[in-house]
Amino acid sequence: MFEGLNKWGFERKQNYLTYYRLLLERFLPKDLDKCLYLDVDMLVVGDLRELFTIDLGDNFAGVVLDSVHIKRHIIPSKNPQYQDIVLNPNWQFNGGFILINLQAWRSGKIEQKALEFLQNYNPVFLDQDTLNVLFGENTLKLGLEWNFVAFSAFENAIFKGENKEYTIRYTRAEHENALKNLKIIHYNTGSKPWKSLIKKKKCKQNLHNERICKWWKYALQTPIFGLDIKILRFKLMLAKHPLRLARSTKRALKKVKNLMRH
């Protein structure tokens, strides 16, 4: 179905998985009127029940505007019969978080239109651009705390109002307010928390480190994947400090042998 389209991913081997959200209607009960889509690289730290009390009205979805400010985002056409599309920078949302109004999705034939769009256009951010075009201004804008992405954690981030060439669409005040009321953290760059370890004493060194430490804190408490996470952490430690771990392992084995002799 998606063969021939651009692939996505921060790994060497990219894939078509990002498009699968376009098909979600097929797998959900017909009497369901609302659902929440979250990217896999997110950490929920707030109560999601609050979202399902929100009245979406006739909007296609509740969304969070993308943190990155792109002045002119062009979606090129693959078909000479269609013109390139310039997205309105004031309503570009990040596709990692979508509180979907399924009634509007079905009546608007979003899946059908999305698949047709992808045949005629070559979007930069693939399905995210596609949904931005199809939803248009018919979205309910939610606060940054519901999709706090990595970009605003960068030390060189320039917030709205600080410079004409700002890189973050939110003001510093909005950024700080979201930090105080965090609901969902989005690790949406190639720097994923499960690829690195931060020493405990460095967790408060900066926002980037704090986010990574927070992910490990909760991941290690996960009942289902707890053992897998511990194994992953051990492998990262081994890769980072092979000699130190080798010596520790050797000492542990020596103790076991001594115990067995007695």
Side-chain angles (χ1 to χ4, degrees), residues 5-6 19 66 70-89 91-93 113-114 116-136:
L5 299 179
N6 292 333
Y19 296 107
D66 211 338
I70 303 176
K71 282 186 176 181
R72 187 172 173 79
H73 184 33
I74 300 174
I75 301 177
S77 169
K78 293 190 287 189
N79 189 329
Q81 296 181 356
Y82 299 101
Q83 293 184 339
D84 294 348
I85 295 175
V86 180
L87 280 182
N88 184 333
W91 45 257
Q92 291 177 44
F93 64 85
K113 291 178 180 179
E116 290 173 358
F117 180 86
L118 289 166
Q119 294 302 316
N120 293 301
Y121 287 90
N122 193 21
V124 179
F125 298 116
L126 311 187
D127 55 310
Q128 175 176 297
D129 280 354
T130 301
L131 291 178
N132 264 281
V133 171
L134 296 180
F135 288 177

Side-chain angles (χ1 to χ4, degrees), residues 2 5-20 124 126 190:
F2 301 116
L5 299 179
N6 292 333
K7 297 180 181 179
W8 185 261
F10 292 103
E11 308 296 335
R12 288 184 181 180
K13 190 175 182 181
Q14 297 182 319
N15 53 57
Y16 298 113
L17 291 177
T18 189
Y19 296 107
Y20 288 5
V124 179
L126 311 187

Side-chain angles (χ1 to χ4, degrees), residues 187-203:
Y187 300 89
N188 64 322
T189 65
S191 179
K192 304 299 183 186
W194 52 86
K195 292 183 178 181
S196 61
L197 290 172
I198 302 293
K199 290 183 179 180
K200 191 173 182 180
K201 63 182 180 181
K202 293 185 177 181
C203 283

Side-chain angles (χ1 to χ4, degrees), residues 10-238:
F10 292 103
E11 308 296 335
R12 288 184 181 180
K13 190 175 182 181
Q14 297 182 319
N15 53 57
Y16 298 113
L17 291 177
T18 189
Y19 296 107
Y20 288 5
R21 79 188 84 182
L22 300 175
L23 311 178
L24 57 83
E25 178 197 342
R26 300 185 183 192
F27 305 98
L28 296 174
K30 299 298 182 184
D31 59 345
L32 195 65
D33 59 4
K34 188 185 294 183
C35 77
L36 176 63
Y37 169 86
L38 298 177
D39 272 356
V40 71
D41 57 353
M42 288 180 143
L43 176 66
V44 176
V45 294
D47 192 342
L48 296 179
R49 291 175 296 181
E50 184 180 337
L51 290 171
F52 291 91
T53 66
I54 296 174
D55 182 7
L56 295 174
D58 295 327
N59 291 301
F60 284 113
V63 298
V64 178
L65 295 178
D66 211 338
S67 285
V68 178
H69 175 65
I70 303 176
K71 282 186 176 181
R72 187 172 173 79
H73 184 33
I74 300 174
I75 301 177
S77 169
K78 293 190 287 189
N79 189 329
Q81 296 181 356
Y82 299 101
Q83 293 184 339
D84 294 348
I85 295 175
V86 180
L87 280 182
N88 184 333
N90 296 317
W91 45 257
Q92 291 177 44
F93 64 85
N94 180 279
F97 168 102
I98 315 176
L99 182 63
I100 301 172
N101 180 345
L102 286 169
Q103 293 180 334
W105 180 289
R106 295 186 191 103
S107 62
K109 299 181 179 179
I110 295 300
E111 178 187 320
Q112 177 186 330
K113 291 178 180 179
L115 296 176
E116 290 173 358
F117 180 86
L118 289 166
Q119 294 302 316
N120 293 301
Y121 287 90
N122 193 21
V124 179
F125 298 116
L126 311 187
D127 55 310
Q128 175 176 297
D129 280 354
T130 301
L131 291 178
N132 264 281
V133 171
L134 296 180
F135 288 177
E137 297 184 39
N138 299 314
T139 56
L140 180 66
K141 312 304 186 293
L142 303 179
L144 178 60
E145 64 271 17
W146 288 107
N147 187 1
F148 194 87
V149 301
F151 301 112
S152 54
F154 293 169
E155 292 183 3
N156 61 347
I158 303 173
F159 293 90
K160 184 177 181 180
E162 295 181 343
N163 190 307
K164 289 183 179 180
E165 301 302 319
Y166 62 92
T167 57
I168 304 299
R169 76 164 64 247
Y170 294 93
T171 64
R172 189 171 293 274
E174 290 171 326
H175 172 264
E176 295 299 327
N177 185 61
L179 272 177
K180 293 176 184 177
N181 301 283
L182 275 180
K183 306 292 187 181
I184 300 175
I185 302 171
H186 192 177
Y187 300 89
N188 64 322
T189 65
S191 179
K192 304 299 183 186
W194 52 86
K195 292 183 178 181
S196 61
L197 290 172
I198 302 293
K199 290 183 179 180
K200 191 173 182 180
K201 63 182 180 181
K202 293 185 177 181
C203 283
K204 297 294 184 180
Q205 197 172 68
N206 54 52
L207 185 55
H208 173 73
N209 286 7
E210 188 176 339
R211 286 160 52 96
I212 291 178
C213 291
K214 190 181 288 287
W215 185 89
W216 279 104
K217 174 187 174 182
Y218 290 109
L220 288 166
Q221 297 176 41
T222 305
I224 299 176
F225 301 108
L227 180 59
D228 295 317
I229 296 297
K230 289 176 182 176
I231 292 173
L232 173 61
R233 183 176 64 166
F234 179 78
K235 288 181 178 179
L236 288 172
M237 291 171 64
L238 186 61

